[in-house]
Amino acid sequence: MIGIVTDSMSCMTERDAAAFNVRIARAKCVIGTRTVPDTVEPYPKSLERARTLPPSSADYYRIFASLAAECDEIICITSSDRVTMSYTNACLAAKAAEGPRFAISD
């Protein structure tokens, strides 16, 4: 079986992820002093001072480790490495993970 992972910047909904058996590594939105998971749902407050943090290598590692028990290969598609560290973090996690073969693409 092949595991598929993407980051939340792909804007894949939870419904689509479940339908296509895709795991989503969540970016984080920092709004003022609050950190919330990145979702495709609208946020009702002003986002003037908001910023987004990519999924960390630890976030990817947790997903890869959970898929490793059931998958022979894992394909991970991230946002472009020109705009986010998501790709780099996924590559770091894949190097640290044991088990399946990985293909990481941005």
Side-chain angles (χ1 to χ4, degrees):
M1 184 164 113
I2 297 174
I4 302 172
V5 180
T6 191
D7 59 35
S8 56
M9 280 88 68
S10 70
C11 294
M12 180 174 273
T13 64
E14 293 292 334
R15 182 176 168 193
D16 287 343
F20 297 113
N21 199 25
V22 173
R23 304 278 179 95
I24 299 176
R26 294 260 165 237
K28 292 149 192 82
C29 294
V30 180
I31 304 166
T33 58
R34 251 179 76 207
T35 301
V36 297
D38 179 37
T39 66
V40 293
E41 301 300 320
Y43 190 75
K45 298 187 180 188
S46 171
L47 298 178
E48 280 181 27
R49 297 180 183 245
R51 66 185 193 277
T52 303
L53 302 174
S56 69
S57 57
D59 295 329
Y60 281 109
Y61 182 85
R62 280 190 289 279
I63 293 171
F64 294 166
S66 71
L67 284 173
E70 58 192 70
C71 298
D72 299 316
E73 298 177 314
I74 295 174
I75 297 171
C76 181
I77 304 166
T78 70
S79 300
S80 171
D81 71 340
R82 292 181 180 189
V83 296
T84 179
M85 290 290 296
S86 191
Y87 173 78
T88 300
N89 292 343
C91 289
L92 290 170
K95 286 180 184 177
E98 295 181 18
R101 294 185 312 162
F102 291 90
I104 313 291
S105 178
D106 66 344

